[in-house]
Amino acid sequence: MRIVILRHGEATLSNCDRVLSSQGMKEAVATGQKLSKILKITRCFCSPKTRAEQTANIVCQQLGFEGTKEHLSELTPSGNPTKIISYIDETCDDEDTVLLVSHLPLVELLAYEYNGKLNFPPRFSTGCALIIDYDYVRGKYKRFISPAFDDVIFD
């Protein structure tokens, strides 16, 4: 299974909610374009928070994803990475490429847990994504994508 962990784009406060800023929208488009050149997603899960949902919508559009985006309450900033991983293991198949759209600190905790706590993940700025190849035991970091900088490819 391939896991793509994505932090939402830059957000701003609007009517007691945090929504994507114009910069955050640009970040989501840029990351989506980069991802579209290297993978197709088969499943999308996102936080119910507006900024994460907006990011997921933009990235899914860039990827040509026509499936159903699913909200997971555990993908909020204080979510439990172990519960998320268990849920993904139970509901997704080996051939799936799964997009998880969430927040700090959860995106970094998820990456660390997927990697079996062997390597600290890169620092997730807004709009960044980490691609992980996962065999249900330990994930290997494959590529880190930033909307503003060159990708980092792991060996």
Side-chain angles (χ1 to χ4, degrees):
M1 182 183 317
R2 181 161 276 181
I3 306 292
V4 181
I5 300 172
L6 171 64
R7 181 180 175 198
H8 64 78
E10 179 187 270
T12 187
L13 190 61
S14 174
N15 296 326
C16 300
D17 194 8
R18 293 197 55 217
V19 299
L20 288 185
S21 65
S22 59
Q23 177 62 30
M25 290 179 199
K26 290 176 187 173
E27 290 170 347
V29 168
T31 298
Q33 287 175 342
K34 286 184 172 187
L35 286 169
S36 72
K37 294 176 182 171
I38 55 176
L39 56 78
K40 296 274 187 212
I41 62 168
T42 56
R43 302 288 301 270
C44 177
F45 299 92
C46 77
S47 161
K49 304 275 187 189
T50 303
R51 59 198 179 273
E53 185 169 355
Q54 290 173 317
T55 301
N57 289 341
I58 292 168
V59 170
C60 285
Q61 181 180 18
Q62 295 294 315
L63 293 170
F65 177 68
E66 296 178 357
T68 303
K69 181 180 64 209
E70 301 173 57
H71 292 102
L72 288 182
S73 59
E74 285 295 332
L75 283 171
T76 55
S78 60
N80 182 323
T82 304
K83 286 183 179 179
I84 295 165
I85 292 169
S86 293
Y87 183 77
I88 299 303
D89 286 356
E90 292 170 13
T91 61
C92 297
D93 298 322
D94 293 347
E95 312 81 40
D96 279 324
T97 298
V98 180
L99 176 64
L100 302 173
V101 185
S102 189
H103 316 262
L104 277 181
L106 186 65
V107 289
E108 292 178 353
L109 293 171
L110 261 175
Y112 188 58
E113 290 287 335
Y114 265 116
N115 183 248
K117 300 181 181 177
L118 295 176
N119 303 100
F120 288 108
R123 176 103 172 101
F124 278 78
S125 296
T126 54
C128 287
L130 177 64
I131 300 170
I132 300 171
D133 282 345
Y134 174 62
D135 65 5
Y136 296 91
V137 177
R138 178 178 174 260
K140 295 175 97 178
Y141 300 156
K142 300 307 283 182
R143 184 181 292 231
F144 186 70
I145 295 172
S146 165
F149 301 105
D150 290 339
D151 294 358
V152 175
I153 298 172
F154 299 91
D155 291 328

